[in-house]
Amino acid sequence: MRKACLILMLFLQSICFAQNRQLLYNFTSIPQSSLVNPGADVSYKYYFGIPILSGISANMGSSSFSAYDLFANNGVDFNDKVRNIINKSSNKDKAQVNEQLELFSGGFRVGGEDSQSYISFGAYQEFDFLMYVPKDPAIFVLDGNRDYVGKSFNLADINVRAEVLSVLHVGFHKKLSEKFVLGGRAKLYSSGANATSTRNSGFIYTAQNAGTPNIYTQIISSNLELRTSGIAKFTKDEYEGNVAEDIAHNTFFNGSLGLGFDAGFTYYFRENLQFTTSIIDLGFINQSKDIETITYKGTYRYEGANPVFDSSNNPDDVFDDFEKAIPRDTLYNKYTTWRPTKLYSSVQYSFGESRSDEECNCKASAKRRYLNAVGGQLFAMTMPNEPFIAFTAFYKRSIFEKLDFKATYTFDSYSNKNIGLGLSGTIGKVNIYALVDNVLEYKDVSKANSLAFQFGINFIVPESGD
């Protein structure tokens, strides 16, 4: 029970913090755009993010229900609301949260005034949560099996994972020619807490014996597994520490370690026609700290009238038989988890050449600046069941010399009317950006299936010719 409460607490706390990436991707006036494409065509003499404030982002989504469906004050019983959500959902529907809080970041040019090589570095804290709707088990818990004789309830619908981690990273990107920019980033992961239950199988089945209306055959075949790292000690009766403080300590100083990398490039077919692609978080974590795996594996078979669990029937024998057939086992083996790998790609066409009134800069490397850009983006991410895919159309506008705007329309499994707006402006050497997704839902956020925002402040020293 304490473990379940802990995982639930992590989920509820994280709902307020998550990330948006389709607006940030290829928004190159923002230094953090290199986090989603280390080969983005960004240039600067050096920059650093304001600690903690350089990247605060939030995004949560559910593909089959909203907060309004659960908590609306409409006179409907809460249990009926839950039942309605389960009935209209499928086992492919999901609730997902991802959060990133940038702790520090920076970057600088290397190799002299004419160099086109850059190093970037930083650290951020991240939370990932993904849960598929456990449709069959939920129906069984809510309604029992009385009206489902002959139906097999699929235990593979139980599919959830959650993790808190920190990431230390260093990247390098270089403009190899006027047409091609290539970059990569190495990452060191430190996982403070992990819970994974994604490889379950089994069923619950009830059949009525022919010619015997009150005699049933009930079969439970279970292959359930919950793997945890960094959590087990919090479930012990003797634990007297502070859960939040201990998870934070594990995340930054005593976590399970892993490695990963990002890679990406930008290619110009013409000066105003650009193609980009990147792969992010191709990596793993070796879960080795405070590990515990709980399993329920076996098959239980009962034949006869449905047992009545009251004082006159002494149900102890039934429970004993069940526990012997499907025992709880606890293992302490290390295990490996793979990070959710993301793939981005985009095509961008720029037009409307800028006519600056400023004195001409005749530096050989100077290039035309366009006021407008349109294009499309593709996003894909690995998941336990099937990849998550999103398509985005976008428009970018340079309003002033140092004020840029981006608008997006995204189609994915959460929404088909997701409009996002982003703004990036620089005053002196201070860059401030704000990105807001699904803006149409802010008129009543309780009915939104997904919400996202991102905000940050950086200090940028541009190239001497900019």
Side-chain angles (χ1 to χ4, degrees), residues 121-151:
F121 59 89
Y124 58 88
Q125 173 271 329
E126 183 171 0
F127 176 86
D128 273 317
F129 175 87
L130 172 66
M131 181 183 70
Y132 288 88
V133 173
K135 186 176 179 71
D136 275 7
I139 291 174
F140 182 79
V141 170
L142 288 171
D143 298 331
N145 60 352
R146 183 185 61 182
D147 298 327
Y148 297 95
V149 173
K151 173 180 171 56

PDB file of all heavy atoms in Angstrom, residues 121-151:
ATOM      1  N   PHE A 121      26.798  22.345 -22.823  1.00  0.00           N
ATOM      2  CA  PHE A 121      26.804  21.468 -21.656  1.00  0.00           C
ATOM      3  C   PHE A 121      25.648  21.855 -20.742  1.00  0.00           C
ATOM      4  O   PHE A 121      25.034  22.925 -20.899  1.00  0.00           O
ATOM      5  CB  PHE A 121      28.140  21.587 -20.901  1.00  0.00           C
ATOM      6  CG  PHE A 121      28.436  22.989 -20.432  1.00  0.00           C
ATOM      7  CD1 PHE A 121      28.001  23.437 -19.189  1.00  0.00           C
ATOM      8  CD2 PHE A 121      29.140  23.874 -21.246  1.00  0.00           C
ATOM      9  CE1 PHE A 121      28.256  24.733 -18.767  1.00  0.00           C
ATOM     10  CE2 PHE A 121      29.402  25.168 -20.836  1.00  0.00           C
ATOM     11  CZ  PHE A 121      28.956  25.596 -19.590  1.00  0.00           C
ATOM     12  N   GLY A 122      25.348  20.986 -19.775  1.00  0.00           N
ATOM     13  CA  GLY A 122      24.300  21.317 -18.821  1.00  0.00           C
ATOM     14  C   GLY A 122      23.852  20.105 -18.034  1.00  0.00           C
ATOM     15  O   GLY A 122      24.395  19.000 -18.166  1.00  0.00           O
ATOM     16  N   ALA A 123      22.861  20.328 -17.204  1.00  0.00           N
ATOM     17  CA  ALA A 123      22.249  19.259 -16.417  1.00  0.00           C
ATOM     18  C   ALA A 123      20.781  19.596 -16.209  1.00  0.00           C
ATOM     19  O   ALA A 123      20.412  20.770 -16.075  1.00  0.00           O
ATOM     20  CB  ALA A 123      22.959  19.082 -15.079  1.00  0.00           C
ATOM     21  N   TYR A 124      19.952  18.572 -16.227  1.00  0.00           N
ATOM     22  CA  TYR A 124      18.537  18.787 -15.957  1.00  0.00           C
ATOM     23  C   TYR A 124      17.975  17.596 -15.201  1.00  0.00           C
ATOM     24  O   TYR A 124      18.536  16.501 -15.205  1.00  0.00           O
ATOM     25  CB  TYR A 124      17.745  19.026 -17.249  1.00  0.00           C
ATOM     26  CG  TYR A 124      17.812  17.936 -18.281  1.00  0.00           C
ATOM     27  CD1 TYR A 124      16.915  16.861 -18.262  1.00  0.00           C
ATOM     28  CD2 TYR A 124      18.745  17.977 -19.311  1.00  0.00           C
ATOM     29  CE1 TYR A 124      16.956  15.868 -19.223  1.00  0.00           C
ATOM     30  CE2 TYR A 124      18.801  16.981 -20.285  1.00  0.00           C
ATOM     31  CZ  TYR A 124      17.907  15.936 -20.232  1.00  0.00           C
ATOM     32  OH  TYR A 124      17.954  14.949 -21.177  1.00  0.00           O
ATOM     33  N   GLN A 125      16.875  17.847 -14.529  1.00  0.00           N
ATOM     34  CA  GLN A 125      16.129  16.798 -13.830  1.00  0.00           C
ATOM     35  C   GLN A 125      14.914  16.463 -14.678  1.00  0.00           C
ATOM     36  O   GLN A 125      14.306  17.331 -15.298  1.00  0.00           O
ATOM     37  CB  GLN A 125      15.693  17.280 -12.442  1.00  0.00           C
ATOM     38  CG  GLN A 125      14.774  16.330 -11.677  1.00  0.00           C
ATOM     39  CD  GLN A 125      13.303  16.582 -11.988  1.00  0.00           C
ATOM     40  OE1 GLN A 125      12.911  17.713 -12.263  1.00  0.00           O
ATOM     41  NE2 GLN A 125      12.504  15.534 -11.975  1.00  0.00           N
ATOM     42  N   GLU A 126      14.556  15.180 -14.732  1.00  0.00           N
ATOM     43  CA  GLU A 126      13.451  14.747 -15.587  1.00  0.00           C
ATOM     44  C   GLU A 126      12.576  13.735 -14.864  1.00  0.00           C
ATOM     45  O   GLU A 126      13.061  12.944 -14.052  1.00  0.00           O
ATOM     46  CB  GLU A 126      13.989  14.139 -16.880  1.00  0.00           C
ATOM     47  CG  GLU A 126      12.907  13.729 -17.866  1.00  0.00           C
ATOM     48  CD  GLU A 126      13.464  13.333 -19.227  1.00  0.00           C
ATOM     49  OE1 GLU A 126      14.691  13.384 -19.407  1.00  0.00           O
ATOM     50  OE2 GLU A 126      12.649  12.981 -20.105  1.00  0.00           O
ATOM     51  N   PHE A 127      11.288  13.782 -15.158  1.00  0.00           N
ATOM     52  CA  PHE A 127      10.340  12.778 -14.672  1.00  0.00           C
ATOM     53  C   PHE A 127       9.577  12.228 -15.865  1.00  0.00           C
ATOM     54  O   PHE A 127       9.112  12.990 -16.727  1.00  0.00           O
ATOM     55  CB  PHE A 127       9.364  13.379 -13.670  1.00  0.00           C
ATOM     56  CG  PHE A 127       8.307  12.413 -13.209  1.00  0.00           C
ATOM     57  CD1 PHE A 127       8.539  11.557 -12.163  1.00  0.00           C
ATOM     58  CD2 PHE A 127       7.065  12.358 -13.850  1.00  0.00           C
ATOM     59  CE1 PHE A 127       7.559  10.649 -11.747  1.00  0.00           C
ATOM     60  CE2 PHE A 127       6.090  11.461 -13.444  1.00  0.00           C
ATOM     61  CZ  PHE A 127       6.344  10.611 -12.390  1.00  0.00           C
ATOM     62  N   ASP A 128       9.439  10.924 -15.938  1.00  0.00           N
ATOM     63  CA  ASP A 128       8.660  10.256 -16.981  1.00  0.00           C
ATOM     64  C   ASP A 128       7.587   9.396 -16.328  1.00  0.00           C
ATOM     65  O   ASP A 128       7.877   8.647 -15.390  1.00  0.00           O
ATOM     66  CB  ASP A 128       9.553   9.343 -17.838  1.00  0.00           C
ATOM     67  CG  ASP A 128      10.192  10.077 -18.995  1.00  0.00           C
ATOM     68  OD1 ASP A 128       9.497  10.863 -19.653  1.00  0.00           O
ATOM     69  OD2 ASP A 128      11.395   9.884 -19.222  1.00  0.00           O
ATOM     70  N   PHE A 129       6.371   9.491 -16.832  1.00  0.00           N
ATOM     71  CA  PHE A 129       5.286   8.613 -16.374  1.00  0.00           C
ATOM     72  C   PHE A 129       4.454   8.204 -17.572  1.00  0.00           C
ATOM     73  O   PHE A 129       4.096   9.039 -18.409  1.00  0.00           O
ATOM     74  CB  PHE A 129       4.390   9.317 -15.358  1.00  0.00           C
ATOM     75  CG  PHE A 129       3.192   8.498 -14.940  1.00  0.00           C
ATOM     76  CD1 PHE A 129       3.293   7.600 -13.887  1.00  0.00           C
ATOM     77  CD2 PHE A 129       1.980   8.601 -15.616  1.00  0.00           C
ATOM     78  CE1 PHE A 129       2.203   6.831 -13.504  1.00  0.00           C
ATOM     79  CE2 PHE A 129       0.892   7.837 -15.239  1.00  0.00           C
ATOM     80  CZ  PHE A 129       1.004   6.949 -14.180  1.00  0.00           C
ATOM     81  N   LEU A 130       4.159   6.932 -17.685  1.00  0.00           N
ATOM     82  CA  LEU A 130       3.303   6.416 -18.749  1.00  0.00           C
ATOM     83  C   LEU A 130       2.462   5.280 -18.199  1.00  0.00           C
ATOM     84  O   LEU A 130       2.992   4.341 -17.603  1.00  0.00           O
ATOM     85  CB  LEU A 130       4.144   5.915 -19.925  1.00  0.00           C
ATOM     86  CG  LEU A 130       3.380   5.173 -21.035  1.00  0.00           C
ATOM     87  CD1 LEU A 130       2.423   6.125 -21.751  1.00  0.00           C
ATOM     88  CD2 LEU A 130       4.345   4.547 -22.025  1.00  0.00           C
ATOM     89  N   MET A 131       1.155   5.381 -18.378  1.00  0.00           N
ATOM     90  CA  MET A 131       0.252   4.317 -17.951  1.00  0.00           C
ATOM     91  C   MET A 131      -0.807   4.099 -19.021  1.00  0.00           C
ATOM     92  O   MET A 131      -1.502   5.032 -19.425  1.00  0.00           O
ATOM     93  CB  MET A 131      -0.435   4.652 -16.629  1.00  0.00           C
ATOM     94  CG  MET A 131      -1.377   3.549 -16.138  1.00  0.00           C
ATOM     95  SD  MET A 131      -2.265   3.961 -14.608  1.00  0.00           S
ATOM     96  CE  MET A 131      -3.385   5.228 -15.205  1.00  0.00           C
ATOM     97  N   TYR A 132      -0.928   2.883 -19.494  1.00  0.00           N
ATOM     98  CA  TYR A 132      -2.023   2.522 -20.378  1.00  0.00           C
ATOM     99  C   TYR A 132      -3.265   2.202 -19.534  1.00  0.00           C
ATOM    100  O   TYR A 132      -3.150   1.742 -18.387  1.00  0.00           O
ATOM    101  CB  TYR A 132      -1.648   1.308 -21.225  1.00  0.00           C
ATOM    102  CG  TYR A 132      -0.627   1.605 -22.290  1.00  0.00           C
ATOM    103  CD1 TYR A 132       0.728   1.519 -22.021  1.00  0.00           C
ATOM    104  CD2 TYR A 132      -1.027   1.998 -23.569  1.00  0.00           C
ATOM    105  CE1 TYR A 132       1.675   1.804 -22.991  1.00  0.00           C
ATOM    106  CE2 TYR A 132      -0.096   2.283 -24.555  1.00  0.00           C
ATOM    107  CZ  TYR A 132       1.255   2.186 -24.259  1.00  0.00           C
ATOM    108  OH  TYR A 132       2.185   2.480 -25.222  1.00  0.00           O
ATOM    109  N   VAL A 133      -4.428   2.446 -20.098  1.00  0.00           N
ATOM    110  CA  VAL A 133      -5.672   2.154 -19.378  1.00  0.00           C
ATOM    111  C   VAL A 133      -5.792   0.642 -19.187  1.00  0.00           C
ATOM    112  O   VAL A 133      -5.827  -0.111 -20.172  1.00  0.00           O
ATOM    113  CB  VAL A 133      -6.888   2.687 -20.150  1.00  0.00           C
ATOM    114  CG1 VAL A 133      -8.189   2.237 -19.476  1.00  0.00           C
ATOM    115  CG2 VAL A 133      -6.839   4.211 -20.238  1.00  0.00           C
ATOM    116  N   PRO A 134      -5.835   0.163 -17.930  1.00  0.00           N
ATOM    117  CA  PRO A 134      -5.957  -1.285 -17.677  1.00  0.00           C
ATOM    118  C   PRO A 134      -7.415  -1.722 -17.818  1.00  0.00           C
ATOM    119  O   PRO A 134      -8.079  -2.061 -16.831  1.00  0.00           O
ATOM    120  CB  PRO A 134      -5.458  -1.421 -16.243  1.00  0.00           C
ATOM    121  CG  PRO A 134      -5.823  -0.115 -15.605  1.00  0.00           C
ATOM    122  CD  PRO A 134      -5.707   0.935 -16.682  1.00  0.00           C
ATOM    123  N   LYS A 135      -7.913  -1.736 -19.034  1.00  0.00           N
ATOM    124  CA  LYS A 135      -9.354  -1.870 -19.269  1.00  0.00           C
ATOM    125  C   LYS A 135      -9.944  -3.139 -18.663  1.00  0.00           C
ATOM    126  O   LYS A 135     -10.901  -3.075 -17.875  1.00  0.00           O
ATOM    127  CB  LYS A 135      -9.635  -1.817 -20.771  1.00  0.00           C
ATOM    128  CG  LYS A 135     -11.135  -1.814 -21.095  1.00  0.00           C
ATOM    129  CD  LYS A 135     -11.371  -1.665 -22.586  1.00  0.00           C
ATOM    130  CE  LYS A 135     -12.863  -1.682 -22.909  1.00  0.00           C
ATOM    131  NZ  LYS A 135     -13.541  -0.467 -22.456  1.00  0.00           N
ATOM    132  N   ASP A 136      -9.408  -4.301 -19.025  1.00  0.00           N
ATOM    133  CA  ASP A 136      -9.998  -5.550 -18.523  1.00  0.00           C
ATOM    134  C   ASP A 136      -9.898  -5.679 -17.003  1.00  0.00           C
ATOM    135  O   ASP A 136     -10.904  -5.989 -16.343  1.00  0.00           O
ATOM    136  CB  ASP A 136      -9.339  -6.745 -19.208  1.00  0.00           C
ATOM    137  CG  ASP A 136      -9.985  -7.077 -20.547  1.00  0.00           C
ATOM    138  OD1 ASP A 136     -10.845  -6.291 -20.992  1.00  0.00           O
ATOM    139  OD2 ASP A 136      -9.637  -8.108 -21.142  1.00  0.00           O
ATOM    140  N   PRO A 137      -8.726  -5.475 -16.386  1.00  0.00           N
ATOM    141  CA  PRO A 137      -8.662  -5.554 -14.926  1.00  0.00           C
ATOM    142  C   PRO A 137      -9.572  -4.537 -14.242  1.00  0.00           C
ATOM    143  O   PRO A 137     -10.157  -4.829 -13.196  1.00  0.00           O
ATOM    144  CB  PRO A 137      -7.185  -5.291 -14.618  1.00  0.00           C
ATOM    145  CG  PRO A 137      -6.453  -5.705 -15.843  1.00  0.00           C
ATOM    146  CD  PRO A 137      -7.372  -5.337 -16.969  1.00  0.00           C
ATOM    147  N   ALA A 138      -9.709  -3.337 -14.836  1.00  0.00           N
ATOM    148  CA  ALA A 138     -10.570  -2.320 -14.235  1.00  0.00           C
ATOM    149  C   ALA A 138     -12.036  -2.742 -14.269  1.00  0.00           C
ATOM    150  O   ALA A 138     -12.776  -2.544 -13.294  1.00  0.00           O
ATOM    151  CB  ALA A 138     -10.377  -0.992 -14.959  1.00  0.00           C
ATOM    152  N   ILE A 139     -12.474  -3.319 -15.392  1.00  0.00           N
ATOM    153  CA  ILE A 139     -13.859  -3.813 -15.464  1.00  0.00           C
ATOM    154  C   ILE A 139     -14.088  -4.902 -14.421  1.00  0.00           C
ATOM    155  O   ILE A 139     -15.123  -4.930 -13.741  1.00  0.00           O
ATOM    156  CB  ILE A 139     -14.150  -4.347 -16.881  1.00  0.00           C
ATOM    157  CG1 ILE A 139     -14.177  -3.203 -17.889  1.00  0.00           C
ATOM    158  CG2 ILE A 139     -15.479  -5.100 -16.912  1.00  0.00           C
ATOM    159  CD1 ILE A 139     -14.322  -3.647 -19.335  1.00  0.00           C
ATOM    160  N   PHE A 140     -13.112  -5.796 -14.268  1.00  0.00           N
ATOM    161  CA  PHE A 140     -13.244  -6.878 -13.292  1.00  0.00           C
ATOM    162  C   PHE A 140     -13.344  -6.329 -11.869  1.00  0.00           C
ATOM    163  O   PHE A 140     -14.167  -6.799 -11.065  1.00  0.00           O
ATOM    164  CB  PHE A 140     -12.047  -7.822 -13.410  1.00  0.00           C
ATOM    165  CG  PHE A 140     -12.104  -8.996 -12.470  1.00  0.00           C
ATOM    166  CD1 PHE A 140     -12.893 -10.094 -12.760  1.00  0.00           C
ATOM    167  CD2 PHE A 140     -11.378  -8.998 -11.284  1.00  0.00           C
ATOM    168  CE1 PHE A 140     -12.965 -11.173 -11.897  1.00  0.00           C
ATOM    169  CE2 PHE A 140     -11.434 -10.065 -10.412  1.00  0.00           C
ATOM    170  CZ  PHE A 140     -12.234 -11.167 -10.716  1.00  0.00           C
ATOM    171  N   VAL A 141     -12.542  -5.316 -11.542  1.00  0.00           N
ATOM    172  CA  VAL A 141     -12.575  -4.730 -10.201  1.00  0.00           C
ATOM    173  C   VAL A 141     -13.884  -3.986  -9.960  1.00  0.00           C
ATOM    174  O   VAL A 141     -14.477  -4.072  -8.879  1.00  0.00           O
ATOM    175  CB  VAL A 141     -11.366  -3.785 -10.006  1.00  0.00           C
ATOM    176  CG1 VAL A 141     -11.513  -2.971  -8.716  1.00  0.00           C
ATOM    177  CG2 VAL A 141     -10.067  -4.585  -9.975  1.00  0.00           C
ATOM    178  N   LEU A 142     -14.348  -3.254 -10.966  1.00  0.00           N
ATOM    179  CA  LEU A 142     -15.557  -2.448 -10.802  1.00  0.00           C
ATOM    180  C   LEU A 142     -16.831  -3.291 -10.787  1.00  0.00           C
ATOM    181  O   LEU A 142     -17.737  -3.052  -9.975  1.00  0.00           O
ATOM    182  CB  LEU A 142     -15.657  -1.413 -11.924  1.00  0.00           C
ATOM    183  CG  LEU A 142     -14.668  -0.239 -11.872  1.00  0.00           C
ATOM    184  CD1 LEU A 142     -14.742   0.562 -13.163  1.00  0.00           C
ATOM    185  CD2 LEU A 142     -14.951   0.654 -10.676  1.00  0.00           C
ATOM    186  N   ASP A 143     -16.919  -4.284 -11.684  1.00  0.00           N
ATOM    187  CA  ASP A 143     -18.179  -4.988 -11.892  1.00  0.00           C
ATOM    188  C   ASP A 143     -18.148  -6.462 -11.505  1.00  0.00           C
ATOM    189  O   ASP A 143     -19.204  -7.104 -11.486  1.00  0.00           O
ATOM    190  CB  ASP A 143     -18.599  -4.888 -13.363  1.00  0.00           C
ATOM    191  CG  ASP A 143     -18.843  -3.457 -13.799  1.00  0.00           C
ATOM    192  OD1 ASP A 143     -19.228  -2.643 -12.943  1.00  0.00           O
ATOM    193  OD2 ASP A 143     -18.641  -3.147 -14.992  1.00  0.00           O
ATOM    194  N   GLY A 144     -16.955  -7.001 -11.220  1.00  0.00           N
ATOM    195  CA  GLY A 144     -16.873  -8.419 -10.953  1.00  0.00           C
ATOM    196  C   GLY A 144     -17.086  -9.240 -12.214  1.00  0.00           C
ATOM    197  O   GLY A 144     -17.069  -8.715 -13.329  1.00  0.00           O
ATOM    198  N   ASN A 145     -17.296 -10.536 -12.033  1.00  0.00           N
ATOM    199  CA  ASN A 145     -17.422 -11.410 -13.209  1.00  0.00           C
ATOM    200  C   ASN A 145     -18.841 -11.951 -13.411  1.00  0.00           C
ATOM    201  O   ASN A 145     -19.062 -12.781 -14.288  1.00  0.00           O
ATOM    202  CB  ASN A 145     -16.451 -12.582 -13.096  1.00  0.00           C
ATOM    203  CG  ASN A 145     -16.719 -13.428 -11.848  1.00  0.00           C
ATOM    204  OD1 ASN A 145     -17.525 -13.061 -10.989  1.00  0.00           O
ATOM    205  ND2 ASN A 145     -16.025 -14.556 -11.743  1.00  0.00           N
ATOM    206  N   ARG A 146     -19.804 -11.485 -12.630  1.00  0.00           N
ATOM    207  CA  ARG A 146     -21.162 -12.033 -12.714  1.00  0.00           C
ATOM    208  C   ARG A 146     -21.750 -11.891 -14.110  1.00  0.00           C
ATOM    209  O   ARG A 146     -22.374 -12.815 -14.644  1.00  0.00           O
ATOM    210  CB  ARG A 146     -22.078 -11.323 -11.706  1.00  0.00           C
ATOM    211  CG  ARG A 146     -23.508 -11.884 -11.670  1.00  0.00           C
ATOM    212  CD  ARG A 146     -24.391 -11.074 -10.748  1.00  0.00           C
ATOM    213  NE  ARG A 146     -24.493  -9.685 -11.214  1.00  0.00           N
ATOM    214  CZ  ARG A 146     -25.168  -8.743 -10.568  1.00  0.00           C
ATOM    215  NH1 ARG A 146     -25.752  -9.021  -9.415  1.00  0.00           N
ATOM    216  NH2 ARG A 146     -25.228  -7.507 -11.054  1.00  0.00           N
ATOM    217  N   ASP A 147     -21.537 -10.707 -14.731  1.00  0.00           N
ATOM    218  CA  ASP A 147     -22.108 -10.454 -16.048  1.00  0.00           C
ATOM    219  C   ASP A 147     -21.117 -10.765 -17.172  1.00  0.00           C
ATOM    220  O   ASP A 147     -21.359 -10.411 -18.330  1.00  0.00           O
ATOM    221  CB  ASP A 147     -22.546  -8.990 -16.155  1.00  0.00           C
ATOM    222  CG  ASP A 147     -23.638  -8.653 -15.147  1.00  0.00           C
ATOM    223  OD1 ASP A 147     -24.454  -9.536 -14.850  1.00  0.00           O
ATOM    224  OD2 ASP A 147     -23.662  -7.495 -14.664  1.00  0.00           O
ATOM    225  N   TYR A 148     -20.023 -11.420 -16.823  1.00  0.00           N
ATOM    226  CA  TYR A 148     -18.976 -11.661 -17.829  1.00  0.00           C
ATOM    227  C   TYR A 148     -18.556 -13.132 -17.846  1.00  0.00           C
ATOM    228  O   TYR A 148     -17.396 -13.452 -18.072  1.00  0.00           O
ATOM    229  CB  TYR A 148     -17.765 -10.770 -17.561  1.00  0.00           C
ATOM    230  CG  TYR A 148     -18.076  -9.298 -17.666  1.00  0.00           C
ATOM    231  CD1 TYR A 148     -18.406  -8.557 -16.529  1.00  0.00           C
ATOM    232  CD2 TYR A 148     -18.054  -8.652 -18.896  1.00  0.00           C
ATOM    233  CE1 TYR A 148     -18.689  -7.205 -16.617  1.00  0.00           C
ATOM    234  CE2 TYR A 148     -18.336  -7.304 -18.997  1.00  0.00           C
ATOM    235  CZ  TYR A 148     -18.653  -6.583 -17.852  1.00  0.00           C
ATOM    236  OH  TYR A 148     -18.935  -5.241 -17.952  1.00  0.00           O
ATOM    237  N   VAL A 149     -19.498 -14.020 -17.583  1.00  0.00           N
ATOM    238  CA  VAL A 149     -19.206 -15.449 -17.659  1.00  0.00           C
ATOM    239  C   VAL A 149     -18.858 -15.804 -19.108  1.00  0.00           C
ATOM    240  O   VAL A 149     -19.576 -15.441 -20.045  1.00  0.00           O
ATOM    241  CB  VAL A 149     -20.411 -16.281 -17.175  1.00  0.00           C
ATOM    242  CG1 VAL A 149     -20.164 -17.763 -17.413  1.00  0.00           C
ATOM    243  CG2 VAL A 149     -20.684 -15.997 -15.708  1.00  0.00           C
ATOM    244  N   GLY A 150     -17.738 -16.456 -19.290  1.00  0.00           N
ATOM    245  CA  GLY A 150     -17.262 -16.784 -20.618  1.00  0.00           C
ATOM    246  C   GLY A 150     -16.283 -15.774 -21.189  1.00  0.00           C
ATOM    247  O   GLY A 150     -15.712 -16.000 -22.260  1.00  0.00           O
ATOM    248  N   LYS A 151     -16.055 -14.672 -20.475  1.00  0.00           N
ATOM    249  CA  LYS A 151     -15.106 -13.654 -20.944  1.00  0.00           C
ATOM    250  C   LYS A 151     -13.760 -13.864 -20.259  1.00  0.00           C
ATOM    251  O   LYS A 151     -13.688 -14.158 -19.066  1.00  0.00           O
ATOM    252  CB  LYS A 151     -15.608 -12.240 -20.636  1.00  0.00           C
ATOM    253  CG  LYS A 151     -14.584 -11.149 -20.944  1.00  0.00           C
ATOM    254  CD  LYS A 151     -15.095  -9.767 -20.628  1.00  0.00           C
ATOM    255  CE  LYS A 151     -14.006  -8.721 -20.719  1.00  0.00           C
ATOM    256  NZ  LYS A 151     -13.315  -8.669 -22.032  1.00  0.00           N
TER     257      LYS A 151
END
